[in-house]
Amino acid sequence: MKYSMIGTWKMAFDGIIIGENILKNDGNVKTAIEESISHIEDNPSFNSVGFGSLPNIEGELELDAAFMDGNDLSFGAICSVKNIKNPIKVAHLLSERKRNCYLSSHGAEKFARLNKFEFKNMLNDIAIDRWNKEIKNNFDPDNLEAYDGHDTVCMIGLDSNKNMAVGVSTSGLFMKQSGRVGDSPVIGSGFYCDSLIGGAAATGVGEDIMKGCLSISIVNRMKMGEDVQTACENSIKDHIERFKNTNYTPGTMSVIALDKNGNFGAATNREEFPFVVASENLKTKILVCKNSNLKMEIFEPDEEWLKNYDYD
Ligand code: SD4
């Protein structure tokens, strides 16, 4: 395939249309990923990414993002940043550095300011209302779950010159503790990409995704010869099964992957996980990964399914 792109959740659709346009015209995958994710970050109707996303327990928005270039394995990441309009752009620029490429909080904000990235108040009324409602509930910080099935945006792409890249952006788990960082900006867990093999990315409960380093696990499986769909399924399955004889029930986790030839895969331990794909042979479309006892079926949702799907 000349080019290919995959993204998590239904919300990836609008972003991937932008990326597909770039890739179709022989554009670079890094531009495609940055533009696609920035578009999602800017859209306040998506609840868990960028502007108007999910506040932490103190009612503040702390965002995480990462970017990886599959050609030389360089990556950039930022975590717990406030009021940076497009965290993905900062992560992309950081990926061009050899050292100091993963920055947190004030250091990341300082870097963004010095490099003239745009700042804005990322909290909007919808996010504040959501927080106000939740703070009245008696919730258990040890049992935080991913937010009603719509979270982190992850995108992986392949361009016509066989370059691959991955990007992720999130506000992390709703009502997380201030300073808490999930898997999304953590290389190997939330994302990984090697243009010689393929890329993978994860969304869901970061603490549990990190325990299995799911993204590198998928890429390694592909390296050992598993096809992309099998690699996704086996990674999730093995990881979930690891908890069988423990007293711990892991939270929800979903993964996407793209191999170096542009074939895609997905897996989840949720009931259903929507994602978006586009390629030379496939116009941008939403697909759903359905899990029955950790066996995955991928189907194209009909109008009825889309009408009933109330989330990002
Ligand atoms: C985190 N993995 O911060 C992110 C949140 C997410 O679906 O993707 N939820 O743990």
Side-chain angles (χ1 to χ4, degrees), residues 5-13 16 154 229 254-257 264-267 272-278 285-290 297-299 301 305 309:
M5 208 166 165
I6 184 167
T8 51
W9 308 110
K10 182 168 157 265
M11 66 178 154
F13 188 86
I16 286 202
C154 309
Q229 180 58 33
S254 306
V255 294
I256 53 169
F264 65 84
E272 290 182 338
F273 163 55
F275 61 100
V276 177
V277 290
K285 67 165 147 185
I286 298 167
L287 294 174
V288 180
C289 176
K290 188 176 170 57
E297 178 208 336
I298 290 176
F299 68 89
W305 190 98
Y309 183 75

PDB file of all heavy atoms in Angstrom, residues 5-13 16 154 229 254-257 264-267 272-278 285-290 297-299 301 305 309:
ATOM      1  N   MET A   5      -3.166   4.888   7.260  1.00  0.00           N
ATOM      2  CA  MET A   5      -3.241   5.587   8.544  1.00  0.00           C
ATOM      3  C   MET A   5      -4.307   4.933   9.414  1.00  0.00           C
ATOM      4  O   MET A   5      -5.314   4.441   8.902  1.00  0.00           O
ATOM      5  CB  MET A   5      -3.620   7.046   8.264  1.00  0.00           C
ATOM      6  CG  MET A   5      -3.120   8.007   9.289  1.00  0.00           C
ATOM      7  SD  MET A   5      -3.229   9.690   8.700  1.00  0.00           S
ATOM      8  CE  MET A   5      -3.016  10.503  10.267  1.00  0.00           C
ATOM      9  N   ILE A   6      -4.086   4.916  10.716  1.00  0.00           N
ATOM     10  CA  ILE A   6      -5.081   4.354  11.642  1.00  0.00           C
ATOM     11  C   ILE A   6      -5.135   5.233  12.884  1.00  0.00           C
ATOM     12  O   ILE A   6      -4.110   5.813  13.282  1.00  0.00           O
ATOM     13  CB  ILE A   6      -4.733   2.879  12.000  1.00  0.00           C
ATOM     14  CG1 ILE A   6      -5.823   2.244  12.883  1.00  0.00           C
ATOM     15  CG2 ILE A   6      -3.373   2.750  12.673  1.00  0.00           C
ATOM     16  CD1 ILE A   6      -5.715   0.727  13.015  1.00  0.00           C
ATOM     17  N   GLY A   7      -6.322   5.367  13.477  1.00  0.00           N
ATOM     18  CA  GLY A   7      -6.463   6.196  14.678  1.00  0.00           C
ATOM     19  C   GLY A   7      -7.488   5.619  15.633  1.00  0.00           C
ATOM     20  O   GLY A   7      -8.404   4.887  15.220  1.00  0.00           O
ATOM     21  N   THR A   8      -7.334   5.933  16.927  1.00  0.00           N
ATOM     22  CA  THR A   8      -8.237   5.389  17.947  1.00  0.00           C
ATOM     23  C   THR A   8      -9.532   6.193  18.047  1.00  0.00           C
ATOM     24  O   THR A   8      -9.534   7.412  17.971  1.00  0.00           O
ATOM     25  CB  THR A   8      -7.569   5.429  19.330  1.00  0.00           C
ATOM     26  OG1 THR A   8      -7.066   6.743  19.569  1.00  0.00           O
ATOM     27  CG2 THR A   8      -6.436   4.438  19.426  1.00  0.00           C
ATOM     28  N   TRP A   9     -10.601   5.484  18.261  1.00  0.00           N
ATOM     29  CA  TRP A   9     -11.937   6.019  18.527  1.00  0.00           C
ATOM     30  C   TRP A   9     -12.530   6.696  17.291  1.00  0.00           C
ATOM     31  O   TRP A   9     -11.814   7.101  16.391  1.00  0.00           O
ATOM     32  CB  TRP A   9     -11.953   6.991  19.726  1.00  0.00           C
ATOM     33  CG  TRP A   9     -11.316   6.421  20.953  1.00  0.00           C
ATOM     34  CD1 TRP A   9     -10.137   6.820  21.501  1.00  0.00           C
ATOM     35  CD2 TRP A   9     -11.788   5.345  21.776  1.00  0.00           C
ATOM     36  NE1 TRP A   9      -9.849   6.059  22.615  1.00  0.00           N
ATOM     37  CE2 TRP A   9     -10.848   5.148  22.812  1.00  0.00           C
ATOM     38  CE3 TRP A   9     -12.918   4.528  21.740  1.00  0.00           C
ATOM     39  CZ2 TRP A   9     -11.006   4.179  23.793  1.00  0.00           C
ATOM     40  CZ3 TRP A   9     -13.071   3.561  22.724  1.00  0.00           C
ATOM     41  CH2 TRP A   9     -12.125   3.400  23.731  1.00  0.00           C
ATOM     42  N   LYS A  10     -13.835   6.849  17.379  1.00  0.00           N
ATOM     43  CA  LYS A  10     -14.576   7.458  16.270  1.00  0.00           C
ATOM     44  C   LYS A  10     -14.096   8.886  16.000  1.00  0.00           C
ATOM     45  O   LYS A  10     -14.075   9.360  14.876  1.00  0.00           O
ATOM     46  CB  LYS A  10     -16.066   7.431  16.651  1.00  0.00           C
ATOM     47  CG  LYS A  10     -17.012   7.967  15.637  1.00  0.00           C
ATOM     48  CD  LYS A  10     -18.435   7.599  16.040  1.00  0.00           C
ATOM     49  CE  LYS A  10     -19.462   8.521  15.430  1.00  0.00           C
ATOM     50  NZ  LYS A  10     -19.836   9.624  16.329  1.00  0.00           N
ATOM     51  N   MET A  11     -13.683   9.566  17.078  1.00  0.00           N
ATOM     52  CA  MET A  11     -13.272  10.971  16.929  1.00  0.00           C
ATOM     53  C   MET A  11     -12.088  11.135  15.973  1.00  0.00           C
ATOM     54  O   MET A  11     -11.847  12.224  15.464  1.00  0.00           O
ATOM     55  CB  MET A  11     -12.910  11.586  18.279  1.00  0.00           C
ATOM     56  CG  MET A  11     -11.689  10.988  18.933  1.00  0.00           C
ATOM     57  SD  MET A  11     -11.308  11.811  20.473  1.00  0.00           S
ATOM     58  CE  MET A  11     -10.437  10.530  21.354  1.00  0.00           C
ATOM     59  N   ALA A  12     -11.338  10.058  15.736  1.00  0.00           N
ATOM     60  CA  ALA A  12     -10.169  10.160  14.848  1.00  0.00           C
ATOM     61  C   ALA A  12     -10.581  10.468  13.407  1.00  0.00           C
ATOM     62  O   ALA A  12      -9.763  10.924  12.608  1.00  0.00           O
ATOM     63  CB  ALA A  12      -9.361   8.863  14.898  1.00  0.00           C
ATOM     64  N   PHE A  13     -11.854  10.210  13.103  1.00  0.00           N
ATOM     65  CA  PHE A  13     -12.316  10.317  11.707  1.00  0.00           C
ATOM     66  C   PHE A  13     -11.955  11.665  11.068  1.00  0.00           C
ATOM     67  O   PHE A  13     -11.305  11.711  10.019  1.00  0.00           O
ATOM     68  CB  PHE A  13     -13.831  10.082  11.654  1.00  0.00           C
ATOM     69  CG  PHE A  13     -14.369   9.970  10.263  1.00  0.00           C
ATOM     70  CD1 PHE A  13     -14.370   8.747   9.598  1.00  0.00           C
ATOM     71  CD2 PHE A  13     -14.862  11.075   9.597  1.00  0.00           C
ATOM     72  CE1 PHE A  13     -14.852   8.642   8.299  1.00  0.00           C
ATOM     73  CE2 PHE A  13     -15.339  10.980   8.301  1.00  0.00           C
ATOM     74  CZ  PHE A  13     -15.335   9.761   7.650  1.00  0.00           C
ATOM     75  N   ILE A  16      -8.244  12.107  10.589  1.00  0.00           N
ATOM     76  CA  ILE A  16      -7.632  11.214   9.591  1.00  0.00           C
ATOM     77  C   ILE A  16      -7.960  11.665   8.172  1.00  0.00           C
ATOM     78  O   ILE A  16      -7.156  11.504   7.253  1.00  0.00           O
ATOM     79  CB  ILE A  16      -8.000   9.746   9.877  1.00  0.00           C
ATOM     80  CG1 ILE A  16      -7.190   9.298  11.105  1.00  0.00           C
ATOM     81  CG2 ILE A  16      -7.710   8.844   8.672  1.00  0.00           C
ATOM     82  CD1 ILE A  16      -6.966   7.838  11.293  1.00  0.00           C
ATOM     83  N   CYS A 154      -4.802   8.354  19.350  1.00  0.00           N
ATOM     84  CA  CYS A 154      -3.502   7.827  18.914  1.00  0.00           C
ATOM     85  C   CYS A 154      -3.615   7.683  17.404  1.00  0.00           C
ATOM     86  O   CYS A 154      -4.644   7.223  16.908  1.00  0.00           O
ATOM     87  CB  CYS A 154      -3.244   6.426  19.461  1.00  0.00           C
ATOM     88  SG  CYS A 154      -3.478   6.208  21.228  1.00  0.00           S
ATOM     89  N   GLN A 229      -2.651  -8.110  12.982  1.00  0.00           N
ATOM     90  CA  GLN A 229      -3.857  -8.365  13.773  1.00  0.00           C
ATOM     91  C   GLN A 229      -3.570  -9.391  14.873  1.00  0.00           C
ATOM     92  O   GLN A 229      -3.967  -9.212  16.025  1.00  0.00           O
ATOM     93  CB  GLN A 229      -5.006  -8.833  12.859  1.00  0.00           C
ATOM     94  CG  GLN A 229      -6.314  -9.138  13.574  1.00  0.00           C
ATOM     95  CD  GLN A 229      -6.871  -7.945  14.366  1.00  0.00           C
ATOM     96  OE1 GLN A 229      -6.707  -6.785  13.993  1.00  0.00           O
ATOM     97  NE2 GLN A 229      -7.516  -8.230  15.501  1.00  0.00           N
ATOM     98  N   SER A 254      -7.280  -0.830  24.906  1.00  0.00           N
ATOM     99  CA  SER A 254      -7.489  -1.074  23.477  1.00  0.00           C
ATOM    100  C   SER A 254      -6.225  -0.673  22.741  1.00  0.00           C
ATOM    101  O   SER A 254      -5.554   0.279  23.144  1.00  0.00           O
ATOM    102  CB  SER A 254      -8.660  -0.230  22.954  1.00  0.00           C
ATOM    103  OG  SER A 254      -9.814  -0.454  23.726  1.00  0.00           O
ATOM    104  N   VAL A 255      -5.936  -1.390  21.674  1.00  0.00           N
ATOM    105  CA  VAL A 255      -4.703  -1.087  20.918  1.00  0.00           C
ATOM    106  C   VAL A 255      -4.994  -1.037  19.421  1.00  0.00           C
ATOM    107  O   VAL A 255      -5.936  -1.680  18.936  1.00  0.00           O
ATOM    108  CB  VAL A 255      -3.608  -2.151  21.181  1.00  0.00           C
ATOM    109  CG1 VAL A 255      -3.146  -2.109  22.620  1.00  0.00           C
ATOM    110  CG2 VAL A 255      -4.082  -3.561  20.819  1.00  0.00           C
ATOM    111  N   ILE A 256      -4.161  -0.261  18.742  1.00  0.00           N
ATOM    112  CA  ILE A 256      -4.179  -0.259  17.277  1.00  0.00           C
ATOM    113  C   ILE A 256      -2.740  -0.474  16.804  1.00  0.00           C
ATOM    114  O   ILE A 256      -1.790  -0.181  17.540  1.00  0.00           O
ATOM    115  CB  ILE A 256      -4.700   1.073  16.686  1.00  0.00           C
ATOM    116  CG1 ILE A 256      -3.916   2.270  17.263  1.00  0.00           C
ATOM    117  CG2 ILE A 256      -6.187   1.235  16.893  1.00  0.00           C
ATOM    118  CD1 ILE A 256      -4.172   3.591  16.559  1.00  0.00           C
ATOM    119  N   ALA A 257      -2.598  -0.971  15.582  1.00  0.00           N
ATOM    120  CA  ALA A 257      -1.242  -1.121  15.033  1.00  0.00           C
ATOM    121  C   ALA A 257      -1.302  -1.070  13.513  1.00  0.00           C
ATOM    122  O   ALA A 257      -2.362  -1.275  12.897  1.00  0.00           O
ATOM    123  CB  ALA A 257      -0.637  -2.447  15.487  1.00  0.00           C
ATOM    124  N   PHE A 264      -3.426  -3.044   8.871  1.00  0.00           N
ATOM    125  CA  PHE A 264      -3.749  -2.592  10.231  1.00  0.00           C
ATOM    126  C   PHE A 264      -4.308  -3.711  11.094  1.00  0.00           C
ATOM    127  O   PHE A 264      -4.777  -4.739  10.594  1.00  0.00           O
ATOM    128  CB  PHE A 264      -4.737  -1.419  10.187  1.00  0.00           C
ATOM    129  CG  PHE A 264      -6.083  -1.792   9.622  1.00  0.00           C
ATOM    130  CD1 PHE A 264      -7.044  -2.367  10.434  1.00  0.00           C
ATOM    131  CD2 PHE A 264      -6.370  -1.576   8.292  1.00  0.00           C
ATOM    132  CE1 PHE A 264      -8.277  -2.731   9.926  1.00  0.00           C
ATOM    133  CE2 PHE A 264      -7.606  -1.943   7.764  1.00  0.00           C
ATOM    134  CZ  PHE A 264      -8.556  -2.515   8.580  1.00  0.00           C
ATOM    135  N   GLY A 265      -4.266  -3.478  12.417  1.00  0.00           N
ATOM    136  CA  GLY A 265      -4.853  -4.408  13.373  1.00  0.00           C
ATOM    137  C   GLY A 265      -5.379  -3.638  14.574  1.00  0.00           C
ATOM    138  O   GLY A 265      -5.013  -2.481  14.792  1.00  0.00           O
ATOM    139  N   ALA A 266      -6.251  -4.288  15.351  1.00  0.00           N
ATOM    140  CA  ALA A 266      -6.789  -3.672  16.567  1.00  0.00           C
ATOM    141  C   ALA A 266      -7.216  -4.769  17.525  1.00  0.00           C
ATOM    142  O   ALA A 266      -7.541  -5.880  17.096  1.00  0.00           O
ATOM    143  CB  ALA A 266      -7.989  -2.789  16.222  1.00  0.00           C
ATOM    144  N   ALA A 267      -7.205  -4.465  18.809  1.00  0.00           N
ATOM    145  CA  ALA A 267      -7.702  -5.425  19.804  1.00  0.00           C
ATOM    146  C   ALA A 267      -8.112  -4.662  21.055  1.00  0.00           C
ATOM    147  O   ALA A 267      -7.669  -3.529  21.281  1.00  0.00           O
ATOM    148  CB  ALA A 267      -6.634  -6.464  20.135  1.00  0.00           C
ATOM    149  N   GLU A 272     -16.572  -3.401  22.784  1.00  0.00           N
ATOM    150  CA  GLU A 272     -16.356  -2.903  21.430  1.00  0.00           C
ATOM    151  C   GLU A 272     -15.414  -1.710  21.466  1.00  0.00           C
ATOM    152  O   GLU A 272     -15.428  -0.930  22.423  1.00  0.00           O
ATOM    153  CB  GLU A 272     -17.686  -2.474  20.799  1.00  0.00           C
ATOM    154  CG  GLU A 272     -18.590  -3.643  20.474  1.00  0.00           C
ATOM    155  CD  GLU A 272     -19.895  -3.232  19.797  1.00  0.00           C
ATOM    156  OE1 GLU A 272     -20.313  -2.063  19.943  1.00  0.00           O
ATOM    157  OE2 GLU A 272     -20.504  -4.073  19.136  1.00  0.00           O
ATOM    158  N   PHE A 273     -14.650  -1.575  20.423  1.00  0.00           N
ATOM    159  CA  PHE A 273     -13.697  -0.474  20.348  1.00  0.00           C
ATOM    160  C   PHE A 273     -13.686   0.075  18.909  1.00  0.00           C
ATOM    161  O   PHE A 273     -13.219  -0.593  17.989  1.00  0.00           O
ATOM    162  CB  PHE A 273     -12.311  -0.996  20.755  1.00  0.00           C
ATOM    163  CG  PHE A 273     -11.163  -0.127  20.354  1.00  0.00           C
ATOM    164  CD1 PHE A 273     -11.108   1.217  20.714  1.00  0.00           C
ATOM    165  CD2 PHE A 273     -10.097  -0.650  19.610  1.00  0.00           C
ATOM    166  CE1 PHE A 273     -10.027   2.011  20.339  1.00  0.00           C
ATOM    167  CE2 PHE A 273      -9.016   0.131  19.243  1.00  0.00           C
ATOM    168  CZ  PHE A 273      -8.983   1.468  19.597  1.00  0.00           C
ATOM    169  N   PRO A 274     -14.213   1.282  18.725  1.00  0.00           N
ATOM    170  CA  PRO A 274     -14.189   1.860  17.379  1.00  0.00           C
ATOM    171  C   PRO A 274     -12.840   2.505  17.049  1.00  0.00           C
ATOM    172  O   PRO A 274     -12.188   3.058  17.936  1.00  0.00           O
ATOM    173  CB  PRO A 274     -15.285   2.938  17.434  1.00  0.00           C
ATOM    174  CG  PRO A 274     -15.608   3.138  18.858  1.00  0.00           C
ATOM    175  CD  PRO A 274     -14.953   2.103  19.685  1.00  0.00           C
ATOM    176  N   PHE A 275     -12.448   2.388  15.811  1.00  0.00           N
ATOM    177  CA  PHE A 275     -11.222   3.035  15.354  1.00  0.00           C
ATOM    178  C   PHE A 275     -11.415   3.438  13.895  1.00  0.00           C
ATOM    179  O   PHE A 275     -12.438   3.112  13.284  1.00  0.00           O
ATOM    180  CB  PHE A 275     -10.011   2.109  15.553  1.00  0.00           C
ATOM    181  CG  PHE A 275     -10.075   0.808  14.804  1.00  0.00           C
ATOM    182  CD1 PHE A 275      -9.385   0.639  13.608  1.00  0.00           C
ATOM    183  CD2 PHE A 275     -10.830  -0.256  15.281  1.00  0.00           C
ATOM    184  CE1 PHE A 275      -9.445  -0.558  12.908  1.00  0.00           C
ATOM    185  CE2 PHE A 275     -10.892  -1.461  14.583  1.00  0.00           C
ATOM    186  CZ  PHE A 275     -10.204  -1.608  13.392  1.00  0.00           C
ATOM    187  N   VAL A 276     -10.449   4.165  13.369  1.00  0.00           N
ATOM    188  CA  VAL A 276     -10.618   4.722  12.023  1.00  0.00           C
ATOM    189  C   VAL A 276      -9.410   4.339  11.171  1.00  0.00           C
ATOM    190  O   VAL A 276      -8.277   4.386  11.647  1.00  0.00           O
ATOM    191  CB  VAL A 276     -10.761   6.261  12.093  1.00  0.00           C
ATOM    192  CG1 VAL A 276     -10.875   6.870  10.704  1.00  0.00           C
ATOM    193  CG2 VAL A 276     -11.962   6.650  12.932  1.00  0.00           C
ATOM    194  N   VAL A 277      -9.661   3.962   9.933  1.00  0.00           N
ATOM    195  CA  VAL A 277      -8.556   3.639   9.026  1.00  0.00           C
ATOM    196  C   VAL A 277      -8.723   4.383   7.707  1.00  0.00           C
ATOM    197  O   VAL A 277      -9.837   4.757   7.321  1.00  0.00           O
ATOM    198  CB  VAL A 277      -8.479   2.121   8.715  1.00  0.00           C
ATOM    199  CG1 VAL A 277      -8.044   1.339   9.923  1.00  0.00           C
ATOM    200  CG2 VAL A 277      -9.797   1.591   8.190  1.00  0.00           C
ATOM    201  N   ALA A 278      -7.592   4.580   7.043  1.00  0.00           N
ATOM    202  CA  ALA A 278      -7.609   5.148   5.690  1.00  0.00           C
ATOM    203  C   ALA A 278      -6.384   4.598   4.983  1.00  0.00           C
ATOM    204  O   ALA A 278      -5.349   4.393   5.614  1.00  0.00           O
ATOM    205  CB  ALA A 278      -7.528   6.663   5.746  1.00  0.00           C
ATOM    206  N   LYS A 285     -12.580   5.378   6.946  1.00  0.00           N
ATOM    207  CA  LYS A 285     -13.823   4.811   7.491  1.00  0.00           C
ATOM    208  C   LYS A 285     -13.659   4.336   8.939  1.00  0.00           C
ATOM    209  O   LYS A 285     -12.551   3.999   9.378  1.00  0.00           O
ATOM    210  CB  LYS A 285     -14.364   3.705   6.619  1.00  0.00           C
ATOM    211  CG  LYS A 285     -13.532   2.470   6.546  1.00  0.00           C
ATOM    212  CD  LYS A 285     -14.413   1.393   5.949  1.00  0.00           C
ATOM    213  CE  LYS A 285     -13.641   0.431   5.110  1.00  0.00           C
ATOM    214  NZ  LYS A 285     -14.471  -0.535   4.444  1.00  0.00           N
ATOM    215  N   ILE A 286     -14.806   4.321   9.603  1.00  0.00           N
ATOM    216  CA  ILE A 286     -14.833   3.845  10.990  1.00  0.00           C
ATOM    217  C   ILE A 286     -15.026   2.327  10.963  1.00  0.00           C
ATOM    218  O   ILE A 286     -15.854   1.818  10.200  1.00  0.00           O
ATOM    219  CB  ILE A 286     -16.012   4.494  11.747  1.00  0.00           C
ATOM    220  CG1 ILE A 286     -15.832   6.019  11.784  1.00  0.00           C
ATOM    221  CG2 ILE A 286     -16.149   3.939  13.159  1.00  0.00           C
ATOM    222  CD1 ILE A 286     -17.064   6.774  12.217  1.00  0.00           C
ATOM    223  N   LEU A 287     -14.256   1.640  11.785  1.00  0.00           N
ATOM    224  CA  LEU A 287     -14.448   0.197  11.970  1.00  0.00           C
ATOM    225  C   LEU A 287     -14.614  -0.063  13.462  1.00  0.00           C
ATOM    226  O   LEU A 287     -14.250   0.796  14.283  1.00  0.00           O
ATOM    227  CB  LEU A 287     -13.240  -0.585  11.440  1.00  0.00           C
ATOM    228  CG  LEU A 287     -13.003  -0.529   9.923  1.00  0.00           C
ATOM    229  CD1 LEU A 287     -11.705  -1.225   9.559  1.00  0.00           C
ATOM    230  CD2 LEU A 287     -14.175  -1.154   9.156  1.00  0.00           C
ATOM    231  N   VAL A 288     -15.136  -1.213  13.791  1.00  0.00           N
ATOM    232  CA  VAL A 288     -15.301  -1.550  15.207  1.00  0.00           C
ATOM    233  C   VAL A 288     -14.638  -2.898  15.469  1.00  0.00           C
ATOM    234  O   VAL A 288     -14.830  -3.850  14.712  1.00  0.00           O
ATOM    235  CB  VAL A 288     -16.801  -1.631  15.590  1.00  0.00           C
ATOM    236  CG1 VAL A 288     -16.961  -1.986  17.061  1.00  0.00           C
ATOM    237  CG2 VAL A 288     -17.503  -0.318  15.286  1.00  0.00           C
ATOM    238  N   CYS A 289     -13.854  -2.935  16.556  1.00  0.00           N
ATOM    239  CA  CYS A 289     -13.265  -4.198  16.985  1.00  0.00           C
ATOM    240  C   CYS A 289     -14.172  -4.740  18.093  1.00  0.00           C
ATOM    241  O   CYS A 289     -14.383  -4.073  19.111  1.00  0.00           O
ATOM    242  CB  CYS A 289     -11.850  -3.939  17.505  1.00  0.00           C
ATOM    243  SG  CYS A 289     -11.078  -5.402  18.166  1.00  0.00           S
ATOM    244  N   LYS A 290     -14.723  -5.917  17.851  1.00  0.00           N
ATOM    245  CA  LYS A 290     -15.644  -6.517  18.826  1.00  0.00           C
ATOM    246  C   LYS A 290     -14.935  -7.666  19.522  1.00  0.00           C
ATOM    247  O   LYS A 290     -14.343  -8.522  18.867  1.00  0.00           O
ATOM    248  CB  LYS A 290     -16.879  -7.035  18.078  1.00  0.00           C
ATOM    249  CG  LYS A 290     -17.977  -7.507  18.981  1.00  0.00           C
ATOM    250  CD  LYS A 290     -19.185  -7.892  18.124  1.00  0.00           C
ATOM    251  CE  LYS A 290     -20.240  -8.588  18.937  1.00  0.00           C
ATOM    252  NZ  LYS A 290     -20.718  -7.805  20.071  1.00  0.00           N
ATOM    253  N   GLU A 297     -13.363  -9.599  16.438  1.00  0.00           N
ATOM    254  CA  GLU A 297     -13.983  -9.569  15.112  1.00  0.00           C
ATOM    255  C   GLU A 297     -14.022  -8.093  14.713  1.00  0.00           C
ATOM    256  O   GLU A 297     -14.370  -7.239  15.535  1.00  0.00           O
ATOM    257  CB  GLU A 297     -15.410 -10.141  15.218  1.00  0.00           C
ATOM    258  CG  GLU A 297     -16.192 -10.130  13.941  1.00  0.00           C
ATOM    259  CD  GLU A 297     -17.699 -10.045  14.207  1.00  0.00           C
ATOM    260  OE1 GLU A 297     -18.142 -10.437  15.313  1.00  0.00           O
ATOM    261  OE2 GLU A 297     -18.404  -9.569  13.322  1.00  0.00           O
ATOM    262  N   ILE A 298     -13.650  -7.804  13.478  1.00  0.00           N
ATOM    263  CA  ILE A 298     -13.678  -6.403  13.058  1.00  0.00           C
ATOM    264  C   ILE A 298     -14.801  -6.221  12.048  1.00  0.00           C
ATOM    265  O   ILE A 298     -14.896  -6.977  11.078  1.00  0.00           O
ATOM    266  CB  ILE A 298     -12.306  -5.977  12.505  1.00  0.00           C
ATOM    267  CG1 ILE A 298     -11.337  -5.929  13.682  1.00  0.00           C
ATOM    268  CG2 ILE A 298     -12.381  -4.611  11.815  1.00  0.00           C
ATOM    269  CD1 ILE A 298      -9.931  -5.638  13.415  1.00  0.00           C
ATOM    270  N   PHE A 299     -15.677  -5.269  12.329  1.00  0.00           N
ATOM    271  CA  PHE A 299     -16.797  -5.061  11.395  1.00  0.00           C
ATOM    272  C   PHE A 299     -16.984  -3.573  11.113  1.00  0.00           C
ATOM    273  O   PHE A 299     -16.510  -2.718  11.867  1.00  0.00           O
ATOM    274  CB  PHE A 299     -18.093  -5.679  11.945  1.00  0.00           C
ATOM    275  CG  PHE A 299     -18.650  -4.997  13.171  1.00  0.00           C
ATOM    276  CD1 PHE A 299     -19.548  -3.935  13.071  1.00  0.00           C
ATOM    277  CD2 PHE A 299     -18.281  -5.423  14.451  1.00  0.00           C
ATOM    278  CE1 PHE A 299     -20.070  -3.318  14.210  1.00  0.00           C
ATOM    279  CE2 PHE A 299     -18.791  -4.803  15.592  1.00  0.00           C
ATOM    280  CZ  PHE A 299     -19.697  -3.746  15.470  1.00  0.00           C
ATOM    281  N   PRO A 301     -19.430  -0.589  11.091  1.00  0.00           N
ATOM    282  CA  PRO A 301     -20.717  -0.318  11.739  1.00  0.00           C
ATOM    283  C   PRO A 301     -21.751   0.222  10.759  1.00  0.00           C
ATOM    284  O   PRO A 301     -21.404   0.961   9.840  1.00  0.00           O
ATOM    285  CB  PRO A 301     -20.343   0.759  12.774  1.00  0.00           C
ATOM    286  CG  PRO A 301     -19.123   1.408  12.257  1.00  0.00           C
ATOM    287  CD  PRO A 301     -18.378   0.362  11.489  1.00  0.00           C
ATOM    288  N   TRP A 305     -25.779   1.388  14.329  1.00  0.00           N
ATOM    289  CA  TRP A 305     -24.695   1.317  15.321  1.00  0.00           C
ATOM    290  C   TRP A 305     -24.169   2.733  15.578  1.00  0.00           C
ATOM    291  O   TRP A 305     -23.989   3.138  16.733  1.00  0.00           O
ATOM    292  CB  TRP A 305     -23.564   0.411  14.808  1.00  0.00           C
ATOM    293  CG  TRP A 305     -22.536   0.110  15.865  1.00  0.00           C
ATOM    294  CD1 TRP A 305     -22.477  -1.012  16.628  1.00  0.00           C
ATOM    295  CD2 TRP A 305     -21.449   0.949  16.305  1.00  0.00           C
ATOM    296  NE1 TRP A 305     -21.418  -0.932  17.508  1.00  0.00           N
ATOM    297  CE2 TRP A 305     -20.770   0.260  17.336  1.00  0.00           C
ATOM    298  CE3 TRP A 305     -20.988   2.213  15.936  1.00  0.00           C
ATOM    299  CZ2 TRP A 305     -19.656   0.785  17.992  1.00  0.00           C
ATOM    300  CZ3 TRP A 305     -19.878   2.746  16.596  1.00  0.00           C
ATOM    301  CH2 TRP A 305     -19.225   2.029  17.609  1.00  0.00           C
ATOM    302  N   TYR A 309     -24.118   4.982  19.084  1.00  0.00           N
ATOM    303  CA  TYR A 309     -22.811   5.201  19.733  1.00  0.00           C
ATOM    304  C   TYR A 309     -22.738   6.667  20.139  1.00  0.00           C
ATOM    305  O   TYR A 309     -22.639   7.575  19.307  1.00  0.00           O
ATOM    306  CB  TYR A 309     -21.667   4.841  18.776  1.00  0.00           C
ATOM    307  CG  TYR A 309     -20.306   4.979  19.410  1.00  0.00           C
ATOM    308  CD1 TYR A 309     -19.829   4.028  20.328  1.00  0.00           C
ATOM    309  CD2 TYR A 309     -19.479   6.063  19.119  1.00  0.00           C
ATOM    310  CE1 TYR A 309     -18.589   4.147  20.915  1.00  0.00           C
ATOM    311  CE2 TYR A 309     -18.216   6.190  19.715  1.00  0.00           C
ATOM    312  CZ  TYR A 309     -17.793   5.233  20.599  1.00  0.00           C
ATOM    313  OH  TYR A 309     -16.556   5.363  21.181  1.00  0.00           O
TER     314      TYR A 309
END
